[in-house]
Amino acid sequence: MPVRVAVIVGSGLERLALLQDVTAKAMETPYGSPSAEVRIGRIGTTEVAYLARHGPGHAVPPHRINHRANVWALKELGVRRILGTSSVGSLKKDLRPGSLVVPHDYLCLWDLPTFFDEKVVHATPQLDEAVRRAALIATRKARVRVRGRAVYAQTRGPRLETKAEIRLLKDYADVVGMTMASEATLAAELGLGYACLCTVDNYAHGIAARPLSFEQILEGARRNAEKVAALLPGILRELAAKGNV
Ligand code: HPA
């Protein structure tokens, strides 16, 4: 039986041992190698393909992630739906670090990867309602607060945003990160359902009085990773229960 659902995990989760009965697959795609071996196993009762977005040991910086190889490899395995987990900065004072967000839309004013460099195809970007619903329902069942209406703004990285960029973005988006729009767009191009559970690990540059540093983001991500890890079995169960995997 091909595996129908995948999790692409971000900062903090690659080190946690979440999978059981694991088979690791080193894959090659027409776009090169994925960030890491795809690990196929069980989370709770659900069979999943599991991929560490930043590679083993978090060595791949956001602007060098081979998103095309990552998404292609999952499609090749038979995956139909992907749940991403990712770290974001908050653009709103009332969306505090420690919060969880499942964006319903995104914007990216910078360059995005595509599978259609040579062919005229215009995919309609969208986040998958079935994956979003499963993430929201399971998180709320676990009595964890989560925001289900939020716009994700993607910047290119690896540098953080300037205060001026954040002032611009904060009127149009709720959270900022460096990866979700790329994955969501590529998934849409291949007809895969994609949505993301984001952890708010910091206030974006200039939103809080305290100056922002990378260490602050890492510290937030570490703290929030276990929260997400604990929610994953329930989210995947919810997705499977609704016949969506
Ligand atoms: N900016 C961009 N990406 C991020 C941030 C941020 O403040 N926090 C976590 N990922």
Side-chain angles (χ1 to χ4, degrees):
M1 274 278 285
V3 59
R4 294 295 188 205
V5 65
V7 186
I8 304 181
V9 296
S11 317
L13 270 94
E14 56 276 271
R15 277 174 298 113
L16 300 176
L18 296 169
L19 280 181
Q20 289 172 306
D21 305 333
V22 185
T23 315
K25 256 179 142 33
M27 297 185 69
E28 256 319 295
T29 76
Y31 304 95
S33 321
S35 301
E37 289 182 335
V38 182
R39 304 174 72 222
I40 299 169
R42 265 186 312 105
I43 295 183
T45 50
T46 316
E47 167 102 352
V48 292
Y50 189 90
L51 181 57
R53 182 184 296 121
H54 293 274
H58 203 96
V60 186
H63 66 299
R64 301 294 295 276
I65 294 169
N66 191 344
H67 292 290
R68 294 198 299 180
N70 289 354
V71 175
W72 188 274
L74 297 178
K75 167 93 175 179
E76 208 162 274
L77 289 172
V79 163
R80 293 188 176 150
R81 288 198 152 85
I82 303 171
L83 171 73
T85 75
S86 77
S87 170
V88 293
S90 170
L91 295 167
K92 310 281 193 213
K93 277 237 168 68
D94 68 348
L95 185 58
R96 296 202 168 84
S99 312
L100 295 179
V101 169
V102 179
H104 74 284
D105 205 356
Y106 61 90
L107 64 88
C108 180
L109 307 175
W110 288 270
D111 205 23
L112 276 176
T114 178
F115 289 114
F116 298 119
D117 266 332
E118 311 293 341
K119 199 171 153 195
V120 183
V121 178
H122 301 290
T124 304
Q126 60 201 333
L127 293 161
D128 186 68
E129 271 309 309
V131 180
R132 271 175 36 74
R133 239 188 343 265
L136 289 169
I137 290 171
T139 302
R140 286 173 182 149
K141 274 187 186 166
R143 301 188 173 282
V144 176
R145 276 168 63 105
V146 58
R147 196 179 282 204
R149 299 281 307 169
V151 174
Y152 178 112
Q154 179 166 310
T155 57
R156 190 175 174 276
R159 70 164 175 85
L160 293 165
E161 301 72 34
T162 63
K163 287 184 181 176
E165 286 164 345
I166 293 301
R167 271 201 308 279
L168 174 78
L169 292 172
K170 77 176 173 38
D171 287 341
Y172 300 95
D174 303 284
V175 294
V176 59
M178 299 176 186
T179 52
M180 193 202 81
S182 297
E183 279 172 7
T185 301
L186 291 168
E189 286 187 346
L190 293 187
L192 304 178
Y194 176 95
C196 194
L197 176 62
C198 301
T199 60
V200 177
D201 293 331
N202 58 283
Y203 279 121
H205 193 191
I207 297 289
R210 180 183 173 198
L212 177 61
S213 67
F214 180 46
E215 287 65 38
Q216 206 183 109
I217 298 178
L218 284 179
E219 192 189 306
R222 251 194 310 272
R223 236 180 292 125
N224 287 325
E226 303 219 352
K227 204 184 294 181
V228 172
L231 292 168
L232 282 180
I235 296 174
L236 295 166
R237 204 179 321 116
E238 190 69 37
L239 200 55
K242 298 280 160 43
N244 286 312
V245 294

